[in-house]
Amino acid sequence: MKKMLSTVCMAASLCLGGSPAMAAYPDQPIKMIIPFGAGGTTDVVGRVIAEKLGDELGQPVVVENRGGASTIIGTSALARAPADGYTIMLATPDFTINPSLQSSLPYKTPEDFTPISLIATYPLVLAANAGQGIASVSDLIEKAKANPGKLNYASAGNGSIQHLCGAMLVDMAKLDMAHVPYKGGAPAATDLAAGRASVLCSGAPPLDPYVQSGKVRILAVSTPTSHPALPGVPSIAESGVPGFDITAWFGFIGPADLPKGVLQRLNGAIVKVMKDPALRQRLSILGAELGGSSPEALGSLIDDEIGKWRRVVAANDIKAQ
């Protein structure tokens, strides 16, 4: 009789779409892959969320930095991980840019992954060296057209979102400006402040010290309209380049075919954690709109982003280096 009851219980568990192991999920630590080195913005965001997420799930969430190759190393590790909910990754726009830049990836995007939840969106800013006499997007366009090839735009590296932001502006406004890639956003911002670069698309926080010192001027945000984090700053689209739209983001993804029950547990925990006032306060420096989403909302964003970056990369003949 006991054996029969055990068999019936197991069958019922499977009929409900789970298994005895899934019913207890999570019952061991969860690994959070950060596809960047330690200390950067994505690493900081991931570690802040990991602490709270671990409390909510009742198991430690352990951060593992797997940086390199424009996030391909970390993303490959995620694609190879078992689809059991014990490995997730904090994804950024690089996840949707790489399929357009790389002729061959060790995984398929988005087929090899499960969207879990979007957690934040934020604008890039278009900034100019303050000594160049450029106070607006229209000033930049006018000066660039009057001096073809004389101005340049810096980026954090070839194929980065900063690069594609500048390339998109050059293409849509029909400008002649050279791209100057740097090994990271910090040296690009330093050279912008020093006047060795003309303009730069970047997240706002790294530029703040230079804005405060008067060396750099914020011209516009990259989102379709002005952003609450930067009141009074117009968007590029509102400043003479209609249709311009780049919104940076963070979101959690897992390997393909995460079980439904595991996906629901992870999504629910992330959505709850992203409402935590203390966490939101710690992440306020990002200037981001914070909040969890449904897996479907993140999946739709990923599909849209892949299409957009394919068009930008093709229009500007951008190659991976």
Side-chain angles (χ1 to χ4, degrees), residues 169-246:
L169 175 63
V170 166
D171 179 54
M172 294 181 71
K174 309 302 180 188
L175 306 179
D176 180 2
M177 295 174 60
H179 170 227
V180 182
Y182 288 81
K183 293 182 178 180
T190 298
D191 268 18
L192 179 70
R196 289 183 286 272
S198 306
V199 295
L200 169 67
C201 282
S202 169
L207 293 175
D208 189 59
Y210 302 114
V211 173
Q212 296 300 321
S213 68
K215 295 178 179 179
V216 166
R217 178 179 288 132
I218 302 297
L219 307 181
V221 294
S222 64
T223 43
T225 58
S226 56
H227 195 275
L230 293 162
V233 178
S235 71
I236 296 173
E238 295 167 332
S239 304
V241 191
F244 194 98
D245 175 15
I246 293 178

Side-chain angles (χ1 to χ4, degrees), residues 75-267:
T75 308
S76 297
L78 179 70
R80 296 191 302 268
D84 56 9
Y86 290 102
T87 305
I88 61 176
M89 187 179 89
L90 183 57
T92 67
D94 300 84
F95 177 71
T96 54
I97 291 171
N98 282 330
S100 302
L101 285 175
Q102 306 290 336
S103 58
S104 178
L105 287 170
Y107 50 81
K108 293 180 181 178
T109 309
E111 294 89 343
D112 288 346
F113 305 94
T114 300
I116 300 172
S117 179
L118 182 68
I119 61 164
T121 61
Y122 62 98
L124 301 183
V125 296
L126 177 64
N129 174 268
Q132 304 224 19
I134 299 171
S136 65
V137 174
S138 58
D139 285 349
L140 171 61
I141 293 173
E142 182 180 347
K143 186 167 184 176
K145 288 189 173 181
N147 301 275
K150 298 293 181 64
L151 301 184
N152 62 52
Y153 66 97
S155 81
N158 192 70
S160 64
I161 191 172
Q162 295 92 339
H163 176 194
L164 271 60
C165 176
M168 189 171 168
L169 175 63
V170 166
D171 179 54
M172 294 181 71
K174 309 302 180 188
L175 306 179
D176 180 2
M177 295 174 60
H179 170 227
V180 182
Y182 288 81
K183 293 182 178 180
T190 298
D191 268 18
L192 179 70
R196 289 183 286 272
S198 306
V199 295
L200 169 67
C201 282
S202 169
L207 293 175
D208 189 59
Y210 302 114
V211 173
Q212 296 300 321
S213 68
K215 295 178 179 179
V216 166
R217 178 179 288 132
I218 302 297
L219 307 181
V221 294
S222 64
T223 43
T225 58
S226 56
H227 195 275
L230 293 162
V233 178
S235 71
I236 296 173
E238 295 167 332
S239 304
V241 191
F244 194 98
D245 175 15
I246 293 178
T247 302
W249 54 274
F250 292 105
F252 282 107
I253 60 175
D257 302 321
L258 278 183
K260 183 177 179 181
V262 171
L263 177 58
Q264 290 176 334
R265 179 77 173 102
L266 279 169
N267 176 265

